Amino acid sequence: MVIDFQAQGIDITRLKEPAIHTFNQIQPHGILIVLAEPDLTILQISSNAIATFGIAAEQMLQRPLSEFIDLFQLERIQTGLTATEDLDIINPVKLWVRKKGDEYSVFDGVFHRNIEGFLILELEPALAQENIPFLSFYHLARASINRLEETSNLREFCQIIVQEVRNVTGFDRVMLYKFDNDGHGSVIAEEKLDSMEPYLGLHFPESDIPRPARKLFASNWIRLIPDSRCEPVTLVPAINPISKEPTELTNSILRSAAACHFEYLHNMGVGASLTISLIKDQKLWGLIACHHQTPMYVSYELRKACEFLGRMVFSEIASREETEDFAYRRQLAYVQSALVEYMSQEENFVDGLIKHKPNLLNLADAQGAAICFGNTCTTIGKTPVAEDLNFLVQWLKNNVQEEVFYTDSLAQVYPDAERFKHVASGLLAIPISKRNYVLWFRPEVIQTVNWGGDPHNAYELNQENGLRLCPRKSFQLWQETVSLTSLPWKQVEIKAALELRKAIVNIVLRQADELAQLAADLERSNAELKKFAYVASHDLQEPLNQVANYVQLLEMRYQSQLDADAKEFINFAVEGVSLMQTLIDDVLAYSKVEMQGVEFELTEVDTALDRALGNLRQRITESGAKISRDPLPTVMADSTQLMQLFQNLIGNAIKFRSDKPLEIHISAQRQEEDEWLFAVRDNGMGIEPQFSDRIFVIFQRLHPRDEYPGTGMGLAICKKIVECHRGRIWVESQLGAGATFYFTLPVGGRDRERRNGRKAQNDLFGRGQ
């Protein structure tokens, strides 16, 4: 009975990826023995041992191997086992296994140690009592190499490989199967009987060779199943008596396959199979898969010869792949070198990636690219819109940990990408830091893919005789039109992107060091200027007081001798001194904003406002101003500076009032998670919008001093106070329509901003990489 496993909530991944390396079953054509060293005591043995040794497997446990193997041979084997770590040097060994009496059987013995350290001996019937002579194997390999040297075309080369392997092994079908980046594979070369259905050019889903099987293929380079309909035999006992766990059999040549794989072979009409792994850069690149319609045994020596042939010819495949990409790699190397040079010359490295030729697009043959750095995405070519880019970067940040991410079907992993498939069905992304990315895009390309059977129904879940997977029964051509997919990214393009990432990180780090040094110099210079302003302003107070005192004393003593002009001149001098003292007081207030060294603390804004209103009580009374407020929050701030901020803003509103009764309203609104927005609104004379920035500049005035007295420092001090609290201040106004002064204060004040600044720096130049 076939059931809907999704509706039943069944863990399909566990069924697709069983722990086949710990199966306690082997194929029945050989015998497996687990031994304890150094005495070679039998810990486990396959249950079919009775047919060879004449006694039950249970009776052989905990007995030395010497009781069953020719003693002279065994002594030589033990010497080899202790003399080398690489047991392939002694494999295979011809072993005469003693039955009851004087009867012997000849076996090929293969030793290996598993990752747990147990010695494993596997016995297979010897087809001949002598090993294949080296010269015979040399001629076998040489004949294949001669044919391979005659072609330079990679496809023809792969075809010759499968022809030669079929000649050597005699299998009915031999295929060269290559894995794609997404795990599924395709047949790129095939040699077979004319009567067999062709698989050349067909794709096969990832589930046909699940991850545990691929991992085993990468560890054990050759795999034989001589009879796909055999009945597996178990190990006795099933659990290793020392480890108390099933024995690990990754490198076993006899280990039984999963039941699903046997059924898969039956559905393909395969009676025997031989698989040779092709490894590139420590990863499984592909397989040479040999199929026979009836059971077929291949000796260990011939299998090793095929393995050697596979390794040798595959090194040539890898070399020819590199050769075919050589011109393109050289082109990308030139582009990469040019980009690094451009980035080094520009003040902003982003300009170096997009302003020149070649540019960022040329590094990965992309139709669009984006550099998302800070809160800005700079684009070139055809890309998603800014909003989509921001969401995509956020998704990458939350879901991708690798130093490079690439896909030719972005919508499969990020469904929102479907709406911009026409520009970005393919994505190649490198993180410069945890929050900053360089992205390349490729548009959708509609393709037709030929599959060996329906990939969407690659298996079924069957509950007969226990819950298990059943593979599909048909492998006939099944065509699929694939959308939401771009042309795939080549490995050479991915490597080029990674190299560019290193260059960008180095340049950003260098620029960060330069900026940090510049910031330190500016901070030191600013500190000296502030100190000078404070000291100079403070020291000017005494001589100014003396000038004012002596001028007034001069007027008092010589009043009768002074004419009207002299008295007017003395008044000018006194007014000038008074103005100078006011300027000095404002400069002192301005310089003190960041010199007080006060740690911010929880401050009730209402309290600071009340203090400001108290200081302005007389001016408020004289102006008849009506002041109202909304409920105000508690923030992290310096209470004195906050009081001064409100005092200056409200005093400014009183000074520049209109003929209408003056109304001033103070409000606050929570803007974001860590920010408050305050507003001081009046119905005064207002200002023209073109002067909205100028009024915050030190000593800047919009009106004559005799019309509106003052130094032009009040709003500059407000700006300094707000910036000291890591906020912003601005005005919105129209002439004759009043003005609203807005300013923000972070909820956490300066301390929160310092923490965020340190975190951002760590993200960019530390853990974020």
Side-chain angles (χ1 to χ4, degrees), residues 592-626:
K592 285 179 180 179
V593 169
E594 287 191 333
M595 293 188 65
Q596 295 179 14
V598 177
E599 285 294 330
F600 293 173
E601 59 186 3
L602 284 173
T603 301
E604 292 184 0
V605 179
D606 277 313
T607 301
L609 177 59
D610 288 340
R611 288 175 58 193
L613 295 177
N615 294 338
L616 295 169
R617 184 179 297 109
Q618 182 176 349
R619 294 178 61 188
I620 293 172
T621 302
E622 292 174 351
S623 65
K626 180 181 178 182

Side-chain angles (χ1 to χ4, degrees), residues 399-438:
N399 295 277
V400 176
Q401 305 299 325
E402 297 82 5
E403 63 179 1
V404 61
F405 171 81
Y406 59 95
T407 177
D408 57 7
S409 185
L410 180 59
Q412 283 192 4
V413 293
Y414 180 61
D416 288 349
E418 186 170 352
R419 66 171 172 265
F420 48 80
K421 63 181 181 178
H422 58 290
V423 293
S425 283
L427 170 67
L428 170 60
I430 53 171
I432 305 306
S433 71
K434 192 174 181 180
R435 300 176 181 176
N436 305 309
Y437 285 83
V438 178

Side-chain angles (χ1 to χ4, degrees), residues 13-14 16-18 20 179 182-183 206-218 284:
T13 300
R14 181 180 61 82
K16 285 173 59 179
E17 302 178 2
I20 52 181
F179 290 102
D182 61 1
E206 178 186 14
S207 58
D208 282 7
I209 306 177
R211 280 185 295 179
R214 274 177 274 150
K215 185 177 180 180
L216 290 173
F217 279 131
L284 188 63

